[in-house]
Structure formats: C-alpha cells, structure tokens
Amino acid sequence: MSAFLLCLLLQEEVVIISTSDRDKGAYDSLGRKCANALRWIDTEPKKAIAELDEIIKSELPRIERKIRVEISKGDWNEYDFFPYQYRGRARMTLARLEPAKAEQHLAAAAEDFEQSVRKGARSGEGYLKKAREELEKLRKRENPRDPR
C-alpha cells in the first residue's frame, strides 16, 4: 500500500461501539469477518468477496471506518471496517486473475470505491482513481480508435 494511502487510512474516523450499543455483537463478529477478508484479498479474492457481501448485507450504519468495540469495561477489539473498499480491492485482484472478465470486475470495483468514499472513507479515493484509470486503459486497448 502506498504511503499516501496509508496516511489517509490512519486519518479515518474511529467509531466507538460501547457495551450498551444493541449492535455491539454484530459489529464485533462482522469486524472479525472483515479482518479475515482483508487477508484473503490477494490470495482468495472470491472468498473475500463472499465474506464482504455478508457484511454489506447486514446494513449496519457505521461502516467504512475504523471501529473500536467495547467487549467489557476496559476491554476493546479494534477493526479496520471497510467492507466496500476491501471488496473493491478483491475485485481488482480478480480483474488481474480473470482477464476475460476484467472490465466487469474493474467497473464493480470502481462502484465499491465510490460507495466507500460516499460513506466517508477518504482512503478510498486513491483506490477509486486507480480503478478508473485501469478501466479506461482496458477499454482503450479493447476498442482502439479507427485511424482513418
């Protein structure tokens, strides 16, 4: 990950999920799933996407940010909770692994990164730019202009 993107990620808002939050268990469980998916992005992107789809379908309101879940008084679990961004990254990996479907994967990745940015993850901006650039390069290669 570039130093610029790492700096942006470090600046993301941290949301505290306290023991009194009714969704505390869901955030902790899905935070773990998100951490697992992050490990699979480059090696098992389809597995990562399946996990991230489940997280996104949960419709928890506080996503695309760092979360800190209070397990008990003074005991916390911290997660980088960026399911749209991670799914976009997994789709970028699939674009490289499945060249025949690269355009489809890159377009879907760009949509995920757009959603990530809309939800407040500034770190998604660099990924969005990269996905759009790769998609544009691919389209130019597949549809070269007629030189006439």
Side-chain angles (χ1 to χ4, degrees):
M1 179 183 323
S2 74
F4 174 72
L5 290 175
L6 182 59
C7 287
L8 284 176
L9 188 59
L10 293 174
Q11 294 176 11
E12 301 291 351
E13 173 190 358
V14 177
V15 172
I16 304 295
I17 311 295
S18 70
T19 55
S20 63
D21 190 311
R22 68 180 179 86
D23 291 325
K24 176 190 76 123
Y27 278 104
D28 193 51
S29 172
L30 295 177
R32 267 192 221 100
K33 282 185 180 284
C34 202
N36 287 334
L38 177 60
R39 289 193 293 269
W40 299 324
I41 286 173
D42 294 320
T43 58
E44 299 180 71
K46 289 181 180 181
K47 188 175 183 178
I49 290 168
E51 287 286 288
L52 296 162
D53 284 345
E54 185 179 328
I55 295 167
I56 290 166
K57 286 177 187 168
S58 74
E59 298 184 358
L60 288 174
R62 294 169 280 185
I63 64 171
E64 296 307 303
R65 61 200 69 232
K66 291 179 171 286
I67 60 171
R68 192 168 188 219
V69 181
E70 186 177 27
I71 303 307
S72 61
K73 187 115 174 120
D75 186 20
W76 300 86
N77 288 336
E78 294 186 26
Y79 303 103
D80 292 332
F81 199 55
F82 298 88
Y84 282 103
Q85 192 173 120
Y86 294 168
R87 187 172 70 178
R89 289 172 53 193
R91 287 176 168 167
M92 296 281 289
T93 299
L94 277 178
R96 289 188 297 279
L97 296 174
E98 299 177 349
K101 296 180 181 178
E103 185 174 0
Q104 173 188 342
H105 293 312
L106 290 171
E111 289 176 18
D112 281 339
F113 296 137
E114 286 172 3
Q115 189 68 261
S116 179
V117 170
R118 266 196 299 275
K119 292 187 175 293
R122 293 180 303 231
S123 58
E125 293 171 359
Y127 291 116
L128 176 58
K129 181 179 178 190
K130 183 174 170 80
R132 286 177 174 164
E133 287 170 355
E134 288 191 26
L135 187 56
E136 186 176 326
K137 276 194 272 185
L138 178 67
R139 287 177 175 161
K140 283 182 181 178
R141 276 196 312 263
E142 290 179 353
N143 301 312
R145 293 190 178 153
D146 190 337
R148 292 182 212 168

